[in-house]
């Protein structure tokens, strides 16, 4: 079998105006006051004989691995797949609503939270609709993959003169500008899907923004689709320590600029890829004012396209995070302080201070419970092989060097590794970053410094194993 079957479906999952808009600790508002661009759910269904897999692109920030299982189950049930054959990836926009009603800065009592249950139902319905459309669109397809560059990303761990590390553009820090592009065409060459992988945080819009927005990934996908046709799916990369050049603003044109630039860079790579094997042959001369030599393309037999998918559990070491009861008590006190604020008289500075203290305390309490009484946790690694490309994902927020090291291995001709896949269970910094301070190592990771090496090793092993898979006969 020299080809796969592929189909894409999409549905709208834009949240309503007035829904809770509480992903930033420094915000001084609670509700979304408008919508910048629609938020979308996109499903890519792939089949080859008995092997079936789905990749889901959601314009959403994050949810836990446990919460993610419900969404994977919805897609799996609609398509008749095993849930572990569904990859559900978040674009990681910070300008959408929360999924849960508690923790990480959210509280059930906050204004706008009353709209979240209905929104969750809307997302599930969108996944069902997109899955059905993908199934109906299935047709024979071939793929090609390649790398490019986009100079949008920079490092986001800036060390101040006093030694404090803050989230901001660090123009001299490590960055990974590599783009991963996978093109899937029908046998007649018409594009079905373009998968774009790139690692930089969708925090162009930040705490002062009051609009629901997919941030730069929404613009990126639209640009690629305008250039290529078909649908574009975005796979966030290893963005844990990466940020766009323009970021942390309220200017709604800024994500358009950043997304357009990355989208054009990705489209340039995609246009240069061919899903057919062609050989140029000189054919004839046309007599004109000058004699014109005409070349034609001869299509060569295509090697078998292999589809394979695997989910496996790996162990990542965690650290001692602190006394769980004490952390819970601190979280409850900070959360109560937010509830006690009289929003009619509180200043913006008072609101922001209470919100960020509650968010940090809730995060610390969460990781305290996550790490309690164990030295390691099981994390799901998920990988899909499409031809010579392997897409590996984990429910983590890895630093950029991890993805670059996996890509540089000889596991496969093309490897994209990204986080924000099938859940979110914290940051994975580089080992050396634990020697300094900063959000990512102080409040946002439960893992020990050795976790980055273990994650890299296991991701390379999974990609290598999938490259050993044979095409169905």
């Amino acid at each position: 079998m020299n080809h796969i079957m592929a189909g894409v479906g999409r549905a709208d999952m834009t949240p309503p105006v007035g829904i809770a808009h509480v992903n930033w600790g420094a915000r001084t508002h609670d509700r979304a006051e408008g919508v910048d661009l629609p938020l979308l759910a996109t499903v890519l269904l792939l089949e080859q004989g008995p092997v079936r897999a789905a990749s889901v692109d959601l314009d959403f920030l994050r949810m836990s691995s446990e919460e993610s299982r419900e969404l994977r189950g919805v897609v799996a049930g609609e398509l008749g797949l095993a849930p572990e054959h569904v990859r559900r990836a978040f674009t990681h926009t910070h300008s959408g609503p929360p999924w849960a009603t508690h923790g990480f800065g959210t509280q059930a009592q906050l204004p706008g939270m009353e709209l979240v249950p209905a929104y969750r139902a809307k997302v599930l319905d969108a996944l069902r609709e997109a899955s059905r459309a993908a199934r109906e669109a299935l047709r024979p397809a071939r793929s090609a993959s390649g790398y490019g560059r986009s100079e949008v990303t920079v490092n986001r761990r800036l060390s101040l003169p006093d030694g404090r590390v803050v989230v901001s553009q660090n123009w001299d820090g490590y960055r990974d500008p590599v783009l991963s592009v996978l093109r899937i065409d029908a046998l007649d060459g018409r594009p079905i899907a373009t998968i774009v992988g790139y690692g930089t945080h969708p925090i162009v819009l930040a705490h002062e923004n009051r609009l629901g927005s997919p941030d730069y990934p929404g613009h990126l996908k639209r640009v690629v689709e305008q250039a290529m046709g078909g649908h574009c799916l975005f796979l966030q990369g290893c963005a844990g320590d990466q940020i766009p050049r323009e970021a942390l603003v309220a200017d709604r044109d800024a994500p358009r600029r950043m997304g357009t630039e990355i989208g054009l860079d990705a489209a340039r790579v995609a246009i240069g890829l061919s899903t057919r094997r062609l050989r140029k042959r000189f054919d004839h001369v046309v007599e004109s004012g000058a004699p014109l030599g005409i070349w034609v393309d001869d299509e060569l037999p295509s090697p078998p396209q292999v589809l394979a998918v695997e989910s496996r559990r790996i162990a990542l070491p965690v650290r001692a995070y602190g006394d769980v009861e004490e952390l819970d008590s601190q979280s409850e006190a900070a959360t109560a302080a937010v509830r006690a604020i009289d929003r009619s008289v509180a200043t913006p500075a008072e609101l922001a201070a209470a919100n960020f203290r509650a968010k940090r305390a809730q995060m610390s309490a969460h990781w305290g419970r996550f790490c309690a009484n164990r030295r390691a946790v099981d994390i799901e690694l998920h990988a899909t092989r499409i031809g010579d490309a392997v897409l590996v994902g984990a429910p983590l927020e890895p630093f950029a060097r991890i993805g670059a090291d996996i890509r540089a291995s000889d596991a496969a001709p093309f490897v994209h590794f990204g986080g924000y896949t099938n859940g979110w269970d914290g940051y994975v910094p580089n080992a050396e970053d634990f020697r300094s301070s900063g959000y990512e190592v102080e409040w946002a990771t439960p893992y020990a410094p050795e976790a980055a090496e273990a994650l890299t090793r296991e991701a390379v092993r999974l990609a290598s194993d999938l490259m050993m898979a044979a095409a169905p006969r």
Side-chain angles (χ1 to χ4, degrees), residues 323-347:
D323 181 83
V324 174
E325 290 187 4
E326 181 179 348
L327 292 171
D328 278 339
S329 176
Q330 293 170 354
S331 174
E332 291 167 5
T335 301
V338 172
R339 288 198 298 267
I341 288 179
D342 184 344
R343 283 169 166 72
S344 66
V345 298
T347 66

Side-chain angles (χ1 to χ4, degrees), residues 170-185:
N170 175 8
W171 309 105
D172 299 320
Y174 181 86
R175 69 189 188 103
D176 181 12
V178 174
L179 271 168
S180 304
V181 180
L182 177 63
R183 174 174 173 166
I184 301 174
D185 291 348

Side-chain angles (χ1 to χ4, degrees), residues 22-104:
V22 294
N23 290 323
W24 288 94
R27 73 186 188 282
T28 58
H29 66 284
D30 292 314
R31 295 181 183 270
E33 298 176 3
V35 175
D36 173 34
L37 278 180
L39 279 69
L40 304 171
T42 308
V43 176
L44 168 65
L45 175 62
L46 301 166
E47 291 187 1
Q48 187 181 53
V51 181
R52 307 177 73 226
S55 183
V56 181
D57 166 347
L58 283 182
D59 286 322
F60 204 77
L61 174 62
R62 63 168 177 245
M63 64 183 66
S64 71
S65 296
E66 291 76 13
E67 292 164 332
S68 179
R69 290 192 186 100
E70 179 184 11
L71 278 71
R72 295 173 79 183
V74 165
V75 174
E78 197 67 47
L79 296 175
L81 302 177
E84 59 269 21
H85 283 199
V86 177
R87 171 182 176 141
R88 192 194 45 69
F90 307 116
T91 61
H92 201 51
T93 175
H94 287 50
S95 293
W99 186 262
T101 56
H102 62 280
F104 291 96

Side-chain angles (χ1 to χ4, degrees), residues 7-307:
V8 183
R10 174 173 284 169
D12 182 86
M13 48 172 263
T14 304
V17 174
I19 199 169
H21 196 248
V22 294
N23 290 323
W24 288 94
R27 73 186 188 282
T28 58
H29 66 284
D30 292 314
R31 295 181 183 270
E33 298 176 3
V35 175
D36 173 34
L37 278 180
L39 279 69
L40 304 171
T42 308
V43 176
L44 168 65
L45 175 62
L46 301 166
E47 291 187 1
Q48 187 181 53
V51 181
R52 307 177 73 226
S55 183
V56 181
D57 166 347
L58 283 182
D59 286 322
F60 204 77
L61 174 62
R62 63 168 177 245
M63 64 183 66
S64 71
S65 296
E66 291 76 13
E67 292 164 332
S68 179
R69 290 192 186 100
E70 179 184 11
L71 278 71
R72 295 173 79 183
V74 165
V75 174
E78 197 67 47
L79 296 175
L81 302 177
E84 59 269 21
H85 283 199
V86 177
R87 171 182 176 141
R88 192 194 45 69
F90 307 116
T91 61
H92 201 51
T93 175
H94 287 50
S95 293
W99 186 262
T101 56
H102 62 280
F104 291 96
T106 63
Q107 301 176 40
Q109 300 87 351
L110 289 176
M113 293 300 294
E114 74 280 0
L115 300 178
V116 170
Y119 180 66
R120 288 201 295 259
K122 179 177 182 177
V123 172
L124 298 180
D125 286 342
L127 287 172
R128 295 184 183 98
E129 179 184 342
S131 297
R132 289 192 295 269
R135 184 178 59 235
E136 293 167 2
L138 271 177
R139 56 198 186 276
R142 290 180 290 215
S143 68
S145 56
Y147 296 119
R149 288 175 67 92
S150 185
E151 303 301 334
V152 164
T153 195
V154 298
N155 189 276
R156 76 169 207 172
R157 285 174 52 80
L158 179 65
S159 182
L160 300 181
D162 63 1
R164 188 184 186 194
V165 177
V166 299
V167 173
S168 185
Q169 291 89 339
N170 175 8
W171 309 105
D172 299 320
Y174 181 86
R175 69 189 188 103
D176 181 12
V178 174
L179 271 168
S180 304
V181 180
L182 177 63
R183 174 174 173 166
I184 301 174
D185 291 348
L187 297 187
D188 62 6
R190 286 182 294 180
I192 296 173
T194 305
I195 300 175
V196 178
Y198 191 70
T200 198
H201 252 83
I203 51 175
V204 178
L205 297 174
H207 56 284
E208 294 177 313
N209 168 58
R210 298 184 176 219
L211 301 177
S213 174
D215 209 281
Y216 78 79
H219 295 276
L220 180 162
K221 287 183 279 190
R222 284 160 178 77
V223 167
V224 172
E225 289 169 358
Q226 289 167 4
M228 297 297 300
H231 289 83
C232 178
L233 289 85
F234 178 67
L235 297 183
Q236 187 59 257
C238 295
D241 58 348
Q242 304 290 289
I243 193 172
R245 289 194 316 265
E246 290 188 69
L248 307 178
V249 299
D251 176 9
R252 63 188 298 180
D253 286 333
R256 177 185 55 78
R257 289 190 292 268
M258 296 295 92
T260 297
E261 183 172 340
I262 302 170
L264 290 173
D265 291 333
R268 185 178 298 112
V269 176
I271 290 169
L273 296 173
S274 176
T275 57
R276 299 186 297 161
R277 292 183 66 210
L278 302 173
R279 180 171 58 195
K280 293 288 186 183
R281 175 175 55 83
F282 186 83
D283 189 63
H284 63 281
V285 174
V286 173
E287 299 298 342
S288 183
L292 309 177
I294 306 301
W295 292 78
V296 296
D297 290 327
D298 290 335
E299 186 162 359
L300 304 176
S302 296
Q305 289 264 289
V306 178
L307 175 66

